[in-house]
Amino acid sequence: MNLAELARKTREFADQRDWRPYHNPKNLVMAMSVEMAELLEHYQWLTPDEAANLPVDTTSLVAQEMADVMLYMLRLADEVGLDLEAAILHKMQLNAQKYPALPR
């Protein structure tokens, strides 16, 4: 499933619950920020080694928070009419120009 299909599914999910009136860009960005803070909470105060080796139960919670962030990102892109997949590919091209690959 690509990002456009996921965005469509999140739109349908929101429509089935009459959430679209609340899914304006401001609210979606704010909600995404809250979810990012919840994700960050799982890593707060960990050493780099601990953060790279989370327990399985914590990894499951991290996955849920990451999904929440992505769901709001998809809703935001959909609401503002942005092709997120194209935007990501374009940004990767810009990054490749700005940060060339290291010689091997």
Side-chain angles (χ1 to χ4, degrees):
M1 186 175 300
N2 64 31
L3 290 180
E5 291 167 347
L6 284 171
R8 180 186 50 77
K9 289 180 82 66
T10 64
R11 182 185 330 116
E12 289 171 358
F13 187 89
D15 285 344
Q16 292 167 354
R17 288 151 182 82
D18 292 326
W19 290 351
R20 293 274 303 271
Y22 309 103
H23 283 191
N24 60 69
K26 178 195 74 73
N27 287 354
L28 290 166
V29 169
M30 290 173 64
M32 195 181 338
S33 174
V34 170
E35 296 301 337
M36 280 300 300
E38 291 177 6
L39 174 60
L40 178 61
E41 190 174 22
H42 293 288
Y43 291 94
Q44 188 176 17
W45 312 121
L46 298 182
T47 66
D49 188 55
E50 290 169 332
N53 297 289
L54 295 174
V56 173
D57 58 330
T58 303
T59 301
S60 175
L61 296 171
V62 164
Q64 290 179 45
E65 298 303 342
M66 290 175 69
D68 285 339
V69 170
M70 190 64 176
L71 288 165
Y72 282 124
M73 182 68 72
L74 288 167
R75 287 294 307 123
L76 176 61
D78 188 53
E79 285 299 313
V80 300
L82 182 94
D83 180 342
L84 190 56
E85 193 169 340
I88 290 168
L89 292 172
H90 178 69
K91 183 62 177 180
M92 289 176 69
Q93 288 175 339
L94 293 174
N95 285 345
Q97 292 170 0
K98 188 174 181 179
Y99 308 104
L102 298 174
R104 299 278 174 192

